[in-house]
């Protein structure tokens, strides 16, 4: 997996400073690196380093070349080489420190090296290794001149994060096949730590509810895909997950699903199933359209997001809701329409993130809900989380599967009993980008 050095923050002093502090260090890198060029008005040739305000023991061992004499010693606190007034005017030390696994709950290994610059043979050089004995993550780093005094103008310290290729936080992170996947099953924030170009986004809206008795199946939530999004470092992007629409009671139409939104992408909620009975309502339009009862008009899908609902027949059976992969099924005189199947274009994503509906080794998203009927088996739910229509032995529609955008199944009629349609499934957003 690639490792990348990502700049976090740099201080270049234009006046004196009693200390330099990096605070609120991001926690989404594997390791940290600090690079320093220092000079201080001080009697000591060191810049002392503390983490999180200090107070936890640091055990260090270093080799020091002091004017040709090699010294090996243990010491605390952790220290950078730092030029002082005893060194040639205008010269600065050079030092770097590497902190491994800085977010872990165990002690943090540290390595460092540095040298003082002086236009003579009198110059200090050192290498060191040690351990910060704390279970806390490193959230701040402070450097202070040893022996008092201040750092002078021109001193520069830079903090870098070491990235394993993951460039953002938010959602559930999965790394596979050279990609990072951030999966949102509920509304959350996506925060890049560096600029991401070429990000892919799948945005699925909430599915619609199926209608009450005899009505049409709910349309699937719209499925919208972007192949190349640019997401800027430090910008927080809201991943808004649309909820599923409620199922219609008795002979009411199903409610449409809610939109899912990420950046400029707006996936449209599925259209509710058309109500049964007289007068018949058309299926609602949406990401995918709701199925229709009898001669009512089908709900239309949104171009590029979903398909139309299916048509009903006579005064008994209704059409299925549209899916992301196909129109809703048309009812016959004996069988209500099935829900339109969902999309299979992101089956690989489903396998990695454990989302979608798995059917015969393939992951589907955004299937339509099955239609309702009169004392018959309800229409089948579309692959991709679509709920089935109610059956004669218990006519309530089946809900769409959560986080698939599946439409809810409509209710069927049995023995003068009215039933409620199934609710639509909630939406989903997945952001994918290459680790390199």
């Amino acid at each position: 997996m690639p490792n990348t050095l990502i700049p976090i923050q740099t201080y270049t002093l234009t006046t004196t400073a009693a200390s330099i502090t990096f605070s609120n260090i991001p926690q989404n890198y594997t390791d940290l690196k600090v690079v320093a060029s220092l000079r201080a008005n001080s009697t000591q040739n060191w810049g002392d380093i503390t983490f999180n305000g200090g107070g936890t023991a640091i055990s260090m061992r270093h080799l020091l070349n002091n004017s040709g004499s090699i010294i090996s010693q243990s010491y605390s606190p952790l220290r950078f080489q730092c030029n002082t007034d005893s060194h040639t005017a205008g010269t600065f030390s050079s030092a770097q420190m590497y902190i491994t696994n800085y977010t872990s709950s165990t002690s943090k290994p540290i390595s460092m090296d540095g040298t003082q610059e002086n236009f003579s043979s009198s110059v200090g050089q050192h290498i060191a290794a040690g351990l910060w004995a704390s279970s806390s993550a490193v959230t701040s780093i402070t450097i202070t001149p040893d022996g008092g005094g201040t750092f002078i103008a021109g001193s520069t310290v830079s903090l870098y994060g070491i990235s394993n290729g993951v460039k953002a936080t938010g959602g559930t992170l999965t790394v596979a096949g050279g990609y990072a996947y951030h999966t949102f099953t509920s509304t959350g924030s996506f925060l890049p730590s560096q600029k991401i170009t070429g990000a892919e986004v799948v945005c699925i809206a909430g599915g619609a509810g199926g209608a009450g008795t005899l009505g049409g199946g709910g349309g699937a939530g719209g499925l919208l895909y972007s192949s190349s999004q640019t997401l800027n470092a430090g910008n927080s992007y809201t991943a808004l997950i649309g909820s599923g629409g409620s199922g219609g009671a008795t002979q009411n139409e199903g409610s449409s699903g809610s939109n899912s939104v990420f950046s400029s992408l707006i996936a449209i909620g599925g259209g509710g199933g058309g109500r049964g009975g007289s007068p018949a309502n058309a299926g609602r339009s949406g990401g995918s359209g709701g199925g229709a009862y009898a001669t009512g008009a089908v709900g239309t899908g949104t171009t590029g997001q979903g398909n139309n609902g299916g048509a009903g027949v006579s005064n008994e059976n209704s059409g299925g809701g549209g899916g992301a992969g196909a129109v809703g099924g048309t009812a016959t005189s004996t069988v209500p329409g099935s829900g339109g199947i969902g999309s299979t274009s992101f089956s690989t994503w489903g396998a990695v993130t454990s989302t979608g509906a798995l059917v015969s080794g393939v992951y589907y998203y955004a299937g339509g809900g099955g239609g309702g009927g009169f004392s018959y088996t309800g229409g089948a739910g579309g692959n991709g989380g679509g709920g089935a229509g109610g059956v004669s032995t218990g006519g309530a529609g089946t809900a769409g599967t959560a986080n698939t955008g599946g439409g809810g199944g409509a209710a069927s009629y049995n023995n003068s009993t009215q039933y409620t349609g199934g609710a639509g499934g909630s939406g989903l957003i997945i952001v994918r980008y290459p680790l390199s």
Side-chain angles (χ1 to χ4, degrees):
M1 191 177 297
N3 289 317
T4 307
L5 196 65
I6 308 299
I8 297 175
Q9 190 175 12
T10 293
Y11 287 105
T12 300
L13 299 184
T14 57
T15 186
T16 59
S19 64
I20 296 172
T21 297
F22 297 101
S23 58
N24 300 317
I25 296 173
Q27 300 293 291
N28 56 309
Y29 300 103
T30 59
D31 309 319
L32 295 176
K33 184 176 183 179
V34 180
V35 179
S37 177
L38 299 172
R39 187 181 179 94
N41 298 317
S42 174
T43 60
Q44 301 294 325
N45 300 331
W46 301 102
D48 292 344
I49 301 168
T50 56
F51 301 141
N52 300 2
T56 302
I58 296 176
S59 57
M60 296 293 300
R61 185 79 183 178
H62 77 170
L63 290 174
L64 175 65
N65 174 13
N66 188 6
S67 301
S69 298
I70 306 300
I71 302 171
S72 175
Q73 60 184 190
S74 299
Y75 69 96
S76 184
L78 182 62
R79 290 172 169 174
F80 269 149
Q81 292 275 19
C82 180
N83 277 23
T84 66
D85 292 340
S86 64
H87 297 85
T88 303
T91 61
F92 291 77
S93 68
S94 297
Q96 60 181 354
M97 173 176 61
Y98 198 100
I99 309 168
T100 304
N101 295 328
Y102 74 106
T103 63
S104 74
S105 58
T106 59
S107 297
K108 319 305 186 286
I110 300 165
S111 63
M112 63 189 309
D113 60 77
T115 183
Q116 295 161 349
E117 183 181 358
N118 204 22
F119 297 156
S120 71
S121 61
S122 176
V123 62
Q125 300 167 324
H126 90 296
I127 58 174
L131 205 65
W132 185 51
S134 174
S135 60
S136 299
V138 177
T139 58
S140 70
I141 300 173
T142 299
I143 308 170
T144 306
D146 186 30
T150 58
F151 293 121
I152 71 167
S155 294
T156 300
V157 186
S158 297
L159 175 66
Y160 300 87
I162 308 299
S163 171
N164 61 1
V166 175
K167 304 177 180 68
T169 58
T172 299
L173 173 65
T174 308
V175 174
Y179 289 92
Y181 295 78
H182 295 257
T183 303
F184 293 87
T185 56
S186 60
T187 297
S189 296
F190 179 86
L191 180 62
S193 57
Q194 57 185 286
K195 185 176 182 179
I196 302 173
T197 57
E200 300 172 81
V201 182
V202 172
C203 186
I204 304 174
T213 302
L214 298 179
L223 188 154
L224 192 58
Y225 168 69
S226 175
S227 62
S228 185
Q229 288 273 308
T230 297
L231 306 169
N232 293 313
N235 286 1
S236 182
Y237 297 86
T238 298
L240 177 65
I241 304 300
S243 58
S246 58
T250 61
Q251 288 187 316
N252 293 328
E253 62 189 345
S255 297
S256 295
S258 298
N259 297 348
S260 289
V261 181
F262 184 86
S263 187
S264 60
L265 304 178
I266 303 175
I268 306 301
R275 68 175 292 237
S278 180
N281 280 357
R284 291 186 175 184
S285 298
S288 284
Y293 169 73
T295 57
V298 300
T300 57
T302 301
T303 301
Q305 298 194 24
N307 292 279
N308 294 348
V313 63
S314 69
N315 290 320
E316 294 184 352
N317 298 321
S318 294
V327 298
T330 298
T332 69
S333 60
T334 57
V335 181
S338 59
I341 64 170
S343 170
T344 61
S345 298
F346 307 98
S347 183
T348 299
W349 297 42
V352 170
T353 62
S354 298
T355 59
L358 179 61
V359 181
S360 300
V362 178
Y363 290 85
Y364 292 77
Y365 294 92
F374 188 85
S375 295
Y376 297 105
T377 299
N383 293 344
V391 297
S392 59
T393 55
T398 303
T401 304
N403 300 125
T404 64
S412 293
Y413 179 84
N414 182 51
N415 296 328
S416 302
T417 302
Q418 304 285 342
Y419 293 96
T420 299
S426 53
L428 177 74
I429 292 173
I430 305 175
V431 182
R432 182 178 92 159
Y433 54 84
L435 293 170
S436 59

